[in-house]
Amino acid sequence: MATQQIERPKGVESPWRESSDLDRAEALSADDFRRAFREHPAGVALVTADAGRGPVALTATSVSSVSADPPLLVFSISDQSSASSTINSADTVVVHLLSSAQLGLAKLGATSGIDRFADRASWSRLDTGEPYFPAARTWIRGRVLHRLRAGTSTLVVVHALDAALPEPSGSEAPATPLVYVSRTWHALGEPSRIE
């Protein structure tokens, strides 16, 4: 199934402006924009795919749920990522939602210039062929529905098809989510809870 670009209905003006139409003089500088988001915490995920040229992986802090019915999620990928070509041509992806116990996977996907799949014992393939890391307690396999160019990145919309989920509460200790803020990894746990 081929992915589609998001198109507007005929006769309806787009609320979106092309990045080439944006006034760069009015825009916040890239450095200031990064500084603003540096203090905004984000959950950490590892995205894997294989479009037929070998598996790729990248660490993403842009993963977000969009809809529960149908189950949709979204993430963005920078053109600068070595995984962008493969992910932008793959029909399916696996999004691993990481806990602090999977910090090693987060660092693996965030380190450039290495073979992320060199340790053959750490990863496998699903029955459907996608590469995945079994150490992640939660992963979602999905079909890419849409890709939308956004500046120097691509926004990827994914329809969730399968998932590995943690056991219901009570049967095992809850995971401590992995969060990235101020260029540092953090474990989000009970001490951070605010009543």
Side-chain angles (χ1 to χ4, degrees):
M1 177 176 171
T3 60
Q4 306 169 358
Q5 294 293 330
I6 297 175
E7 295 179 17
R8 67 179 179 264
K10 291 184 178 172
V12 176
E13 284 198 39
S14 172
W16 298 82
R17 294 177 70 184
E18 295 296 322
S19 58
S20 59
D21 295 338
L22 301 178
D23 186 347
R24 303 258 190 253
E26 291 180 353
L28 189 62
S29 74
D31 286 341
D32 285 348
F33 188 75
R34 286 186 200 99
R35 261 188 31 221
F37 271 89
R38 195 168 292 141
E39 299 298 320
H40 183 72
V44 182
L46 183 75
V47 179
T48 58
D50 189 342
R53 298 181 303 272
V56 298
L58 72 102
T59 297
T61 56
S62 60
V63 174
S64 180
S65 65
V66 176
S67 166
D69 187 16
L72 302 175
L73 64 91
V74 66
F75 66 90
S76 66
I77 180 168
S78 168
D79 292 346
Q80 295 178 352
S81 169
S82 61
S84 66
S85 175
T86 296
I87 290 177
N88 282 326
S89 59
D91 289 333
T92 57
V93 296
V94 178
V95 178
H96 306 72
L97 304 177
L98 303 180
S99 73
S100 60
Q102 287 94 46
L103 176 59
L105 289 179
K107 289 181 176 181
L108 180 75
T111 304
S112 60
I114 62 167
D115 180 356
R116 295 178 177 108
F117 295 87
D119 180 2
R120 188 63 177 98
S122 70
W123 68 280
S124 187
R125 288 192 183 267
L126 297 172
D127 292 342
T128 49
E130 296 87 355
Y132 82 109
F133 289 86
R137 285 175 25 145
T138 304
W139 55 258
I140 300 168
R141 181 181 79 89
R143 181 165 310 286
V144 176
L145 292 183
H146 304 288
R147 291 181 172 93
L148 175 67
R149 289 295 300 156
T152 57
S153 295
T154 300
L155 192 65
V156 182
V157 180
V158 178
H159 180 217
L161 303 173
D162 304 302
L165 303 171
E167 293 298 321
S169 269
S171 59
E172 64 179 282
T176 304
L178 182 60
V179 177
Y180 193 75
V181 63
S182 297
R183 299 182 184 180
T184 307
W185 310 101
H186 296 268
L188 186 62
E190 197 60 36
S192 63
R193 183 174 176 170
I194 299 173
E195 294 293 336

